[in-house]
Amino acid sequence: MSVQPPAAAAAAAAPGSGSGFGSPHPSQLPGPTPSSSSAVGNFLLPSPPFISAPGLINLRDIGGYEIPSTTSGHRKKMVRKGVVFRSADPTQLTDEGVAVMQKLGITHVYDFRSKLEFGKTPETEPKEWAGAQRCHVPVFPDVDMSPEALAVRFQLRNSRFRDYTDGPAGFVRAYSTILAGAADLHNTYAPYRTIFQQLASSSSSSPSPSTPPSPLLVHCSAGKDRTGLFVALLLSLLHVPPTIIAHEYSLTDLGLADRKPAIVDHVMLDPTFDGDRAAAERMVSSRKESMLATLQYIDEEYGGAEKYVIERLGVTKEEVERIREVMIVDVEEGKEQELLDWRRNAEVVEEFYRR
């Protein structure tokens, strides 16, 4: 495992974006160019999975995770690398950052943000570049999912505020809303289904299952909640264990580390928080316990990720199998080092929390 400085010429956002207070949201402000000694001390992002692209934070490849086999004697399997990338809002991506994205071969950029979260000024127009198609697939087309809006929606002044900011139960409540929004039949953008079907169609159009799909990027504002849920569903379909999925989710705490103070400052503009900075910090966190509780909720409420994807999103069983065909690959003998050392990365996360 190598390490890289946290990439951040752009700032991240919390679970949504638009400000609502007349000030630009942190995801739409340029941030300091980090060095090996950044705002979080000498902390360095683990690479893989993180990738440095100037102007973009929280960028990482979701591939490389081992998929446990139930049959002995067979080759190890893993999630294919270099296909699905996740990040924060790429609004501030520089020309150098664009070159990184082009080198990764990204052909589709899926934006989960609502119409209220970008384009209010020329500086907040969505970033586009040659060779990649921007696909606007909002989870909530006309609803601001910024932290400020969530504060109102979940009535954070009462006990539900404590639920949402103090533990996984509140995150489950918020994420259940996102899951419902992504599956809403009135949402003609069909955000999650669209991407799943893109992955499935890349299989059916390829000459063989060994041909990798075209690389794609998924993002919202921070690349934490709406993005994190999509990635969790995809990894679940690929039989990645919940513990690893929750770890992958927790990496966002590292990816947003440089900009978290600015994010929290922005959230604190809402009087609902009544000066409780610790509560605001918990609200923009990505603790593994929150994702583990959400995965349990998906099992209990929908019968598991696969049933949710098929019965609620409308992805067919055949499409799910095609996704597995292209996204699950063998680890060649003698190349076990290609597997992502997620346990070591998890130690990095825990060390970060201790600082």
Side-chain angles (χ1 to χ4, degrees):
M1 179 187 72
S2 62
V3 293
Q4 64 165 35
S17 101
S19 107
F21 297 104
S23 59
H25 193 274
S27 67
Q28 297 164 346
L29 290 173
T33 301
S35 63
S36 60
S37 180
S38 67
V40 288
N42 294 321
F43 170 73
L44 296 172
L45 292 178
S47 177
F50 283 98
I51 301 165
S52 179
L56 179 61
I57 60 173
N58 203 19
L59 172 63
R60 59 189 189 265
D61 187 342
I62 72 162
Y65 292 101
E66 183 174 0
I67 299 170
S69 175
T70 57
T71 308
S72 60
H74 287 70
R75 283 183 176 176
K76 291 183 178 181
K77 296 184 181 296
M78 70 175 182
V79 178
R80 188 191 288 272
K81 295 180 179 179
V83 174
V84 179
F85 299 89
R86 59 178 294 177
S87 75
D89 165 25
T91 296
Q92 297 295 326
L93 196 65
T94 68
D95 290 344
E96 291 177 334
V98 167
V100 172
M101 308 305 276
Q102 292 173 326
K103 187 174 181 180
L104 293 174
I106 291 171
T107 61
H108 292 78
V109 178
Y110 291 96
D111 185 348
F112 292 133
R113 295 176 299 164
S114 76
K115 300 173 184 177
L116 304 178
E117 297 181 60
F118 56 82
K120 294 180 180 179
T121 66
E123 294 76 20
T124 63
E125 286 295 329
K127 185 74 173 183
E128 300 188 51
W129 58 89
Q133 175 185 352
R134 177 179 177 268
C135 306
H136 185 218
V137 286
V139 173
F140 300 97
D142 300 299
V143 178
D144 187 346
M145 286 299 290
S146 68
E148 302 85 358
L150 285 175
V152 174
R153 179 168 293 114
F154 290 100
Q155 300 174 357
L156 301 187
R157 284 194 183 278
N158 60 25
S159 62
R160 301 183 77 183
F161 170 70
R162 295 303 168 193
D163 283 344
Y164 186 67
T165 59
D166 286 349
F171 276 87
V172 171
R173 181 177 297 110
Y175 288 175
S176 69
T177 302
I178 294 174
L179 288 166
D184 187 347
L185 296 177
H186 299 292
N187 185 350
T188 56
Y189 292 96
Y192 290 176
R193 185 180 71 202
T194 296
I195 307 174
F196 284 130
Q197 291 181 331
Q198 167 70 18
L199 289 169
S201 66
S202 65
S203 167
S204 59
S205 62
S206 299
S208 73
S210 62
T211 303
S214 298
L216 60 88
L217 173 72
V218 295
H219 77 87
C220 45
S221 289
K224 183 175 92 72
D225 301 314
R226 289 162 287 187
T227 299
L229 277 173
F230 172 79
V231 170
L233 290 169
L234 174 57
L235 293 179
S236 293
L237 290 183
L238 302 179
H239 307 304
V240 176
T243 301
I244 298 179
I245 295 173
H247 158 72
E248 200 287 328
Y249 167 81
S250 74
L251 289 173
T252 290
D253 273 337
L254 305 186
L256 299 181
D258 270 342
R259 296 302 297 177
K260 187 171 182 178
I263 297 170
V264 173
D265 286 345
H266 187 73
V267 173
M268 289 291 292
L269 293 174
D270 192 323
T272 303
F273 283 89
D274 196 23
D276 192 344
R277 188 175 184 87
E281 289 178 345
R282 289 190 293 272
M283 189 174 184
V284 301
S285 70
S286 300
R287 295 279 180 160
K288 63 184 180 182
E289 293 82 7
S290 297
M291 180 52 68
L292 286 171
T294 300
L295 293 172
Q296 182 178 347
Y297 167 82
I298 292 172
D299 286 342
E300 295 172 353
E301 181 70 15
Y302 300 108
E306 183 169 344
K307 280 194 172 183
Y308 168 81
V309 168
I310 293 174
E311 297 177 4
R312 298 302 300 270
L313 296 184
V315 179
T316 68
K317 176 66 174 177
E318 292 72 24
E319 287 170 332
V320 169
E321 290 304 322
R322 288 203 295 269
I323 291 170
R324 289 173 176 148
E325 285 177 4
V326 295
M327 289 301 297
I328 299 176
V329 296
D330 290 332
V331 179
E332 294 185 27
E333 189 173 350
K335 293 187 176 181
E336 287 78 8
Q337 70 275 9
E338 293 185 358
L339 291 168
L340 195 61
D341 189 352
W342 72 269
R343 289 184 177 83
R344 184 172 179 181
N345 288 346
E347 292 175 0
V348 175
V349 175
E350 291 304 316
E351 179 185 354
F352 170 73
Y353 289 151
R354 288 193 293 268
R355 294 192 176 189

